[in-house]
Amino acid sequence: MRSISIVWNRARGLTALSLALGMLGVTAATPRVAGPGLAEQNPQLNQEQKNEQEEHGSAHWAGTVKITPLGSHAGEFCRNDRALLLEDPTGVRALWDPGQTVDETDARLGMIHVIVLSSVHPDHIGDVKPNPAAPGTCAAPGTISAAPNSNTAAIAAAKNAAVFAGGEMAAFLGRKILNIRGVTTPGCSAAGLTNELVVPLASPCTGSLRPGGSRTVRLTGANAGVKIANIPAYHSNGIPQSLLDAPGVAPGTTGYGGNDGGAIIKFTNGLTVYLTADTGLAGDMDTIVRQFYRPNLVVINMGDIFSLGPDEAAFAINRLLRPRTVIPSHINEAATTGGAVTGARLKRFLDQVNESRTNVVIPLSGVTREFDGRGRCVNCS
């Protein structure tokens, strides 16, 4: 009988199917999902990815970008997890959305050069912080108040970090950092054509970043920097009452925070990451994000109700963005147990992702993954 190749990417029933097909001379491929590990890298590239290889094959520099999730429970992907630490090969270290799982005392942070904040909603700016005396569970992490200044402001003040945020968030955070340090927070410099900021800084600064604009962060002595651009996110952005200074606002209302926003981060090795932030489906994901910025790694928020649900997130990845790799985020459930996928929302997303095109890397807290310039995880085996 002629051998037939069948791509089968779902873990359920794989062993039984492999045995049955083996009797017929049929082979089955293994799943390409990274929980504790990622299976072999994608052998089947779509035409766009092949073109990208040919066009940019010589344009990628050496080194890998290290991405470390900083969640509430080590080795797991949990309800409150938002924060990601991204480190460029040159040494620039960027913290995305500190949220409720990281505060200024967290030993996992190390040096932080820049914080990129998508919104001032409590779970992104950080209105509460981890409670070491009662850590809670992956589904319900233990927390204590971080009011009135927030985890984001406290980390920026402690680490002398730049804070980039859209709308009026930068000015708001500048005041929060002033409350902590007692001195005015300056605006971040934006020198030359690329709006460059050289780090490390001697004191924190804040910088607005609006749609269509970008800033570059370069480490002292490095020849190239990390470019950060703002992408609109379809989401509200009210400042919670717990973080508002007097006189506050009327009961039941929030403060004005301006636009919510995702980010495009272009690293010096060629990796381009699109962090969606909280958003719904938008044609911009295809026409602007994919066609202009061409991200090869996407971090997609998919907690449902307040952002993309698993069905919408899978559609965005399969049809609109088509990256080489996706990292699900903002899951709003205990998505793993012992590092293995157990959450219903995450399972539904994985069942729909077109794995012949896109690899999935599960963000387990404290587990550092490394990505080359084409968006491939090089230590996910």
Side-chain angles (χ1 to χ4, degrees):
M1 177 179 292
R2 180 169 59 88
S3 178
I4 304 172
S5 179
I6 296 178
V7 177
W8 177 258
N9 292 318
R10 309 300 172 207
R12 294 192 303 273
L14 177 62
T15 302
L17 179 68
S18 298
L19 291 172
L21 295 179
M23 299 174 64
L24 299 174
V26 178
T27 60
T30 56
R32 298 187 184 91
V33 177
L38 173 68
E40 63 182 9
Q41 292 298 325
N42 214 338
Q44 300 181 10
L45 303 180
N46 64 12
Q47 188 58 47
E48 185 170 300
Q49 289 170 332
K50 290 178 180 178
N51 291 342
E52 185 265 343
Q53 269 197 341
E54 294 169 1
E55 181 179 347
H56 298 287
S58 61
H60 295 284
W61 288 269
T64 58
V65 172
K66 298 176 181 178
I67 300 180
T68 307
L70 302 179
S72 64
H73 288 68
E76 304 290 4
F77 180 23
C78 296
R79 184 190 187 283
N80 287 359
D81 293 2
R82 309 286 189 266
L84 292 176
L85 179 59
L86 305 98
E87 182 174 345
D88 186 73
T90 64
V92 171
R93 291 166 61 87
L95 177 63
W96 167 255
D97 274 1
Q100 300 170 333
T101 62
V102 180
D103 69 7
E104 72 278 13
T105 67
D106 198 314
R108 298 175 297 177
L109 287 174
M111 175 71 75
I112 299 295
H113 297 116
V114 59
I115 299 171
V116 184
L117 185 68
S118 68
S119 84
V120 287
H121 280 171
D123 58 323
H124 296 267
I125 194 172
D127 66 329
V128 297
K129 57 187 177 181
N131 182 357
T137 66
C138 189
T143 60
I144 55 178
S145 176
N149 295 314
S150 79
N151 291 328
T152 298
I155 293 169
K159 302 294 183 178
N160 289 330
V163 181
F164 294 161
E168 281 63 39
M169 292 186 286
F172 171 74
L173 281 161
R175 179 55 188 254
K176 289 298 180 183
I177 296 170
L178 181 156
N179 291 346
I180 296 169
R181 301 179 72 244
V183 295
T184 299
T185 308
C188 296
S189 63
L193 183 62
T194 62
N195 305 311
E196 185 178 80
L197 173 69
V198 178
V199 295
L201 301 173
S203 60
C205 67
T206 60
S208 183
L209 193 54
R210 297 178 185 269
S214 67
R215 291 174 179 262
T216 297
V217 180
R218 179 175 61 85
L219 194 70
T220 299
N223 294 323
V226 175
K227 181 178 179 179
I228 303 171
N230 181 281
I231 297 294
Y234 294 91
H235 197 63
S236 64
N237 191 31
I239 303 169
Q241 285 202 16
S242 65
L243 299 182
L244 292 174
D245 297 328
V249 293
T253 64
T254 60
Y256 176 71
N259 297 340
D260 194 315
I264 295 285
I265 305 182
K266 290 180 173 286
F267 293 93
T268 61
N269 71 337
L271 179 71
T272 300
V273 181
Y274 170 40
L275 302 111
T276 68
D278 289 354
T279 189
L281 288 170
D284 289 356
M285 290 178 172
D286 179 4
T287 58
I288 296 175
V289 176
R290 184 180 65 83
Q291 295 187 39
F292 181 75
Y293 291 105
R294 301 176 67 184
N296 40 31
L297 171 61
V298 172
V299 177
I300 193 163
N301 289 14
M302 44 161 292
D304 216 345
I305 300 180
F306 305 110
S307 65
L308 293 168
D311 299 343
E312 291 81 3
F315 178 86
I317 293 300
N318 293 339
R319 299 289 297 276
L320 303 178
L321 297 166
R322 293 181 272 177
R324 187 180 301 274
T325 301
V326 61
I327 298 176
S329 186
H330 197 296
I331 197 70
N332 287 351
E333 68 177 0
T336 65
T337 303
V341 176
T342 52
R345 190 170 288 121
L346 182 56
K347 284 182 178 179
R348 188 174 180 94
F349 174 72
L350 295 176
D351 282 345
Q352 296 180 69
V353 171
N354 182 350
E355 292 165 350
S356 67
R357 175 187 291 125
T358 301
N359 291 319
V360 182
V361 175
I362 307 301
L364 302 181
S365 180
V367 178
T368 299
R369 300 300 188 189
E370 298 188 33
F371 297 86
D372 67 15
R374 296 189 175 96
R376 298 175 298 196
C377 180
V378 301
N379 69 334
C380 289
S381 59

